[in-house]
Amino acid sequence: MTAVDVSRGLLGRRRARKDAAAAAQQAQGPAKGGTSWVAFWAMVVIALLMMAPFIWAGLTAVKPFSDAFQNPPVWSFTPQFSAFTELWKGTTFAKVLGNTTIVAIASVIVSLLIGAPAAYAFARYAGRIGPILLVLALVFRALPRFAVVLPFYEASRALGIYDTNVALVIAFVAVNMPFMLLLLTGFFRELPVELDESAMIDGCTRLQAFRKVIVPLSGPGLITAGMFAFLLAFQEYLVALTLTQNNAVTIPVFVAAQAGADDITTFQTLAALSLALAVPIVLITIFARKYFVAGLAGGAVKG
Amino acid sequence: MRTRTFFALSGPAIALMAALLVIPLIATIQWSFQNVPVGEAGVFNGLDNYRELLTSPRFRDAAVFTVGFALVVTTLKVVLGYIVALTLHKARHGRAIFLGILLATYVVPTVVGALDFSWLFNDIFGGPVNRFLDLFGVQIDWLVNEWPARALLAMHMLWHEIPFAVLIFYAGLQGMPDEPLEAASLDGANWFQKQRYVIIPALGRLVTFVCVISIMDALKIFDSIRIITPAASQLGTESLMTYVFQIALNDSYRLGIGSAVNLLTIILTLVLLIPFLRSTWRDARGIS
């Protein structure tokens, strides 16, 4: 299957005991002085363009209300932060944020508890059934979310868990599982088989070898997988929109509802909200870049 | 590892995926041949759903728009992603930081990114892009007319997803051995010839990979349309997935016909991926 092969090829090239990011940081002597400076400044421009939407939302958030929606834009103003106070006190944002965080943490825990042992099994089992199941899991990456989420909707209503955190956690764990398995299987394959073999010669059971030897050595892999599972709760709109109404609403659903209100007074709160979300995420991606790179290049099938 | 241990460790994950991915998919297939009002059991109605869809202009418009969108965005993504990756590869300093910044737009929730991105084009927010276009005497009502709205959605998707293509191509460039390029230089190849005959063929598999992921994702476009053009069905920016949402959960509660759209989308995805899967297949068998 394409994605497995290619991502494996990609990782394979990086396999020299470093993850993709470490290699990416390694400066390969730039060829000629002139062009590399041109390329550098071109990248500065590209980076600024990519950040422009966040910069503009940030400006909208901190401008006084009378200046924020002027056309042409006002450039000199005294920054003020009342939109943030309004966001925190005047809307249900605090509750929604709390809720999203709970769902995110719960889905990280559940998906790692279920996914990590399974991925370890996939990485170490020589039989033919392993790869077949992995490829089948991958097929779900190509399917439209609604193909599984419409039945979720019916089932959650029938079971009385519609609009609850439980339904969201179950849905997120399920939707994320193929990606998680692929990613972690890749990570576990990188660890030499001799590690668990010697642990088992020393008297460990297979499970103990996994818990006491493999898990402690797979920190970066588990962090990467956990981080993507965590972010899913903050990113996934379609699933949350379908399965929630009031109580279990998550950030994307809240943002979309606010944006749909089409009322200029809520726009500034919305700008504050997008800044409050974008800044931490931009900082995390810059500083935890190596985990993102490893996750995107290794799993490479994030849906 | 023994088969028993394998199933003991992977059992919960396999059971979970069977219960929550495979069974719902089977339900979707079943529903697509039924009339399913929400909360009630479906009634078999044969091919009625499919017949209704295939004769519905609204479905046809959504399908044509979605497929066209996926093809255009994928092409641009590969070309622009390759150019940015080359630039990044050549840059003297701060490549890791640039990569981090690029990835941020990929990781920020799509809903938030789409909102912030569309504000750049919205006069209520001062519309900086519009003010820039004013300098050239160009005026575009992005959110009122069909083609500007489509262009806006495409630009958003490129902004959101190019970083992924950049990352993959960049990793490929970093992993390329120097010798073929040096040999090409010795043979007197110019920059374009080196790109055409050395680098692009070496990255071929990665291009295929980016195309596959991109087509799959673009066919599923939903979040950004809901945010940027909420009135998609009137504006001509309705995609297959926003159509499913409207017909199954919003305007009417017809889960059966929504499921039929899902199945047709799956078939469409497979058809569009055939050329790429064939090239992978040939790769795998060592014929090229």
Side-chain angles (χ1 to χ4, degrees), chain A residues 32, chain B residues 79 82-83 86 90 181 184-185 188-201:
Chain A
K32 290 158 218 137
Chain B
V79 174
Y82 179 63
I83 293 174
L86 274 183
K90 275 264 181 274
L181 279 175
S185 295
N190 65 28
W191 186 84
F192 282 104
Q193 286 168 329
K194 278 193 243 171
Q195 298 293 327
R196 169 69 187 80
Y197 296 107
V198 183
I199 299 182
I200 293 177

Side-chain angles (χ1 to χ4, degrees), chain A residues 1-3 5-7 9-10 13-14 23-28 30-33 35-40 42-44 46-47 49-54 56-57 60 68-73 114-115 117-118 120-122 124-126 129-130 133 137 140-148 150-154 157 170 173-175 177-178 181 206-207 210 231 234-238 241-242 251-252 255-256 259 264 267 270-271 274-275 277-278 281-282 285-286 289 292-293 296-297 299-303, chain B residues 1-3 5-7 9-14 16-17 19-22 24-25 27-28 31 36-40 84 86-113 115-117 119-120 123-128 131 158-160 162-164 167-168 170-176 178 202-203 205-206 208-209 212-213 216-217 220 222-223 226-227 241-242 244-245 248-249 253 255 258-259 262 265-266 269 273 276-277 280 284:
Chain A
M1 193 67 191
T2 323
D5 284 354
V6 177
S7 66
L10 196 68
R13 229 167 283 149
R14 297 265 157 278
Q25 272 164 325
Q26 221 177 35
Q28 291 199 345
K32 290 158 218 137
T35 49
S36 70
W37 278 110
V38 174
F40 172 79
M43 282 314 299
V44 171
I46 292 170
L49 284 176
M50 296 298 274
M51 285 293 109
F54 304 131
W56 197 253
T60 307
F69 302 103
Q70 292 297 317
N71 184 13
I114 297 178
Y120 173 67
F122 280 118
R124 288 292 187 260
Y125 180 61
I129 188 83
L133 283 172
F140 281 90
R141 170 64 174 74
L143 297 185
R145 287 262 156 95
F146 271 128
V148 290
L150 284 186
F152 276 5
Y153 171 75
E154 267 294 89
R157 285 191 161 252
I170 294 175
V173 170
V175 164
M177 190 52 69
L181 285 182
R206 179 60 84 168
L207 198 63
F210 173 61
L231 281 173
F234 283 84
Q235 291 168 328
E236 179 55 48
Y237 173 57
L238 190 155
L241 178 69
T242 309
I251 295 269
V255 171
I264 198 164
F267 283 164
L270 205 51
S274 60
L275 192 65
L277 284 176
I281 291 181
V282 172
T285 20
I286 292 175
R289 166 182 74 238
F292 282 98
V293 172
L296 292 170
V301 282
K302 184 84 194 120
Chain B
M1 183 181 283
R2 274 172 303 163
T3 306
T5 326
F6 170 75
F7 279 110
L9 288 173
S10 64
I14 292 173
L16 179 102
M17 288 192 295
L20 296 171
L21 297 176
V22 177
L25 182 63
T28 290
W31 283 359
V36 190
V38 165
E40 289 168 44
V84 176
L86 274 183
T87 315
L88 183 62
H89 182 62
K90 275 264 181 274
R92 177 165 281 246
H93 297 293
R95 285 182 286 186
I97 301 282
F98 286 133
L99 201 58
I101 291 176
L102 290 183
L103 286 181
T105 68
Y106 188 61
V107 176
V108 165
T110 316
V111 170
V112 173
L115 198 60
D116 290 356
F117 188 84
W119 287 351
L120 294 178
D123 280 343
I124 295 174
F125 294 86
R131 300 294 76 75
L158 289 171
W159 170 78
H160 179 52
I162 277 184
F164 177 70
L167 172 69
I168 300 294
Y170 176 66
L173 288 170
Q174 294 269 307
M176 261 182 51
D178 293 332
L203 295 183
R205 278 159 60 92
L206 299 185
T208 307
F209 172 62
V212 168
I213 297 279
M216 290 190 320
D217 285 348
K220 292 193 276 193
F222 179 79
D223 299 13
R226 297 277 306 157
I227 294 292
M241 289 302 108
T242 60
V244 171
F245 179 73
L249 296 168
Y253 293 88
L255 295 174
S259 300
N262 282 329
T265 308
I266 294 172
T269 312
L273 291 183
F276 300 103
L277 297 179
T280 310

Side-chain angles (χ1 to χ4, degrees), chain A residues 231-267:
Chain A
L231 281 173
L232 186 71
F234 283 84
Q235 291 168 328
E236 179 55 48
Y237 173 57
L238 190 155
V239 173
L241 178 69
T242 309
L243 296 181
T244 65
Q245 198 155 33
N246 301 309
N247 296 323
V249 162
T250 58
I251 295 269
V253 180
F254 177 77
V255 171
Q258 296 270 309
D262 221 14
D263 171 6
I264 198 164
T265 54
T266 65
F267 283 164

Side-chain angles (χ1 to χ4, degrees), chain A:
Chain A
M1 193 67 191
T2 323
V4 184
D5 284 354
V6 177
S7 66
R8 195 173 297 151
L10 196 68
L11 271 191
R13 229 167 283 149
R14 297 265 157 278
R15 201 158 280 186
R17 285 296 120 216
K18 284 173 209 129
D19 52 33
Q25 272 164 325
Q26 221 177 35
Q28 291 199 345
K32 290 158 218 137
T35 49
S36 70
W37 278 110
V38 174
F40 172 79
W41 287 108
M43 282 314 299
V44 171
V45 173
I46 292 170
L48 277 175
L49 284 176
M50 296 298 274
M51 285 293 109
F54 304 131
I55 296 170
W56 197 253
L59 287 173
T60 307
V62 299
K63 280 179 185 176
F65 186 71
S66 53
D67 291 345
F69 302 103
Q70 292 297 317
N71 184 13
V74 176
W75 290 103
S76 80
F77 58 89
T78 329
Q80 47 91 43
F81 297 93
S82 58
F84 292 92
T85 335
E86 169 63 19
L87 171 68
W88 194 255
K89 297 209 175 111
T91 70
T92 53
F93 175 67
K95 179 185 168 251
V96 173
L97 180 66
N99 195 57
T100 313
T101 312
I102 292 171
V103 170
I105 292 172
S107 46
V108 171
I109 294 172
V110 177
S111 29
L112 281 178
L113 279 179
I114 297 178
Y120 173 67
F122 280 118
R124 288 292 187 260
Y125 180 61
R128 189 172 289 174
I129 188 83
I132 293 177
L133 283 172
L134 259 192
V135 167
L136 273 183
L138 206 65
V139 168
F140 281 90
R141 170 64 174 74
L143 297 185
R145 287 262 156 95
F146 271 128
V148 290
V149 171
L150 284 186
F152 276 5
Y153 171 75
E154 267 294 89
S156 71
R157 285 191 161 252
L159 296 171
I161 55 168
Y162 175 71
D163 201 18
T164 62
N165 288 347
V166 175
L168 276 185
V169 173
I170 294 175
F172 286 156
V173 170
V175 164
N176 196 39
M177 190 52 69
F179 170 70
M180 181 148 235
L181 285 182
L182 198 75
L183 183 61
L184 284 178
T185 304
F187 274 107
F188 290 138
R189 277 209 188 108
E190 304 271 300
L191 298 174
V193 189
E194 290 77 22
L195 280 175
D196 11 348
E197 277 171 359
S198 57
M200 282 160 68
I201 288 169
D202 290 345
C204 282
T205 63
R206 179 60 84 168
L207 198 63
Q208 281 170 329
F210 173 61
R211 256 188 29 223
K212 295 186 177 156
V213 180
I214 299 298
V215 169
L217 286 173
S218 336
L222 295 175
I223 291 175
T224 304
M227 191 174 65
F228 278 99
F230 186 87
L231 281 173
L232 186 71
F234 283 84
Q235 291 168 328
E236 179 55 48
Y237 173 57
L238 190 155
V239 173
L241 178 69
T242 309
L243 296 181
T244 65
Q245 198 155 33
N246 301 309
N247 296 323
V249 162
T250 58
I251 295 269
V253 180
F254 177 77
V255 171
Q258 296 270 309
D262 221 14
D263 171 6
I264 198 164
T265 54
T266 65
F267 283 164
Q268 210 175 12
T269 351
L270 205 51
L273 166 60
S274 60
L275 192 65
L277 284 176
V279 167
I281 291 181
V282 172
L283 290 178
I284 293 172
T285 20
I286 292 175
F287 289 109
R289 166 182 74 238
K290 100 175 185 195
Y291 298 114
F292 282 98
V293 172
L296 292 170
V301 282
K302 184 84 194 120

Side-chain angles (χ1 to χ4, degrees), chain B residues 10-266:
Chain B
S10 64
I14 292 173
L16 179 102
M17 288 192 295
L20 296 171
L21 297 176
V22 177
I23 292 179
L25 182 63
I26 293 170
T28 290
I29 297 172
Q30 206 179 351
W31 283 359
S32 76
F33 300 103
Q34 292 178 340
N35 178 19
V36 190
V38 165
E40 289 168 44
V43 181
F44 181 77
N45 66 359
L47 291 172
D48 282 6
N49 292 333
Y50 291 97
R51 203 170 294 132
E52 180 181 337
L53 284 173
L54 294 176
T55 55
S56 143
R58 187 173 168 190
F59 172 77
R60 195 195 57 218
D61 288 351
V64 170
F65 168 67
T66 311
V67 171
F69 187 85
L71 295 179
V72 170
V73 166
T74 300
T75 311
L76 289 174
K77 200 191 288 178
V78 168
V79 174
L80 295 174
Y82 179 63
I83 293 174
V84 176
L86 274 183
T87 315
L88 183 62
H89 182 62
K90 275 264 181 274
R92 177 165 281 246
H93 297 293
R95 285 182 286 186
I97 301 282
F98 286 133
L99 201 58
I101 291 176
L102 290 183
L103 286 181
T105 68
Y106 188 61
V107 176
V108 165
T110 316
V111 170
V112 173
L115 198 60
D116 290 356
F117 188 84
S118 71
W119 287 351
L120 294 178
F121 298 80
N122 189 336
D123 280 343
I124 295 174
F125 294 86
V129 172
N130 300 344
R131 300 294 76 75
F132 178 74
L133 291 176
D134 283 347
L135 299 177
F136 306 94
V138 179
Q139 271 195 320
I140 301 173
D141 287 330
W142 296 101
L143 301 166
V144 181
N145 299 313
E146 191 175 18
W147 284 102
R150 290 173 174 174
L152 181 58
L153 287 170
M155 283 189 286
H156 166 264
M157 189 160 233
L158 289 171
W159 170 78
H160 179 52
E161 289 184 356
I162 277 184
F164 177 70
V166 173
L167 172 69
I168 300 294
F169 293 149
Y170 176 66
L173 288 170
Q174 294 269 307
M176 261 182 51
D178 293 332
E179 291 79 10
L181 279 175
E182 282 163 11
S185 295
L186 285 178
D187 288 346
N190 65 28
W191 186 84
F192 282 104
Q193 286 168 329
K194 278 193 243 171
Q195 298 293 327
R196 169 69 187 80
Y197 296 107
V198 183
I199 299 182
I200 293 177
L203 295 183
R205 278 159 60 92
L206 299 185
V207 174
T208 307
F209 172 62
V210 169
C211 287
V212 168
I213 297 279
S214 170
I215 288 176
M216 290 190 320
D217 285 348
L219 288 175
K220 292 193 276 193
I221 180 172
F222 179 79
D223 299 13
S224 63
I225 295 184
R226 297 277 306 157
I227 294 292
I228 296 175
T229 60
S233 59
Q234 287 119 54
L235 203 52
T237 56
E238 188 166 61
S239 73
L240 289 166
M241 289 302 108
T242 60
Y243 180 55
V244 171
F245 179 73
Q246 296 294 351
I247 204 162
L249 296 168
N250 212 18
D251 295 345
S252 57
Y253 293 88
R254 304 175 63 198
L255 295 174
I257 201 146
S259 300
V261 180
N262 282 329
L263 267 189
L264 289 174
T265 308
I266 294 172

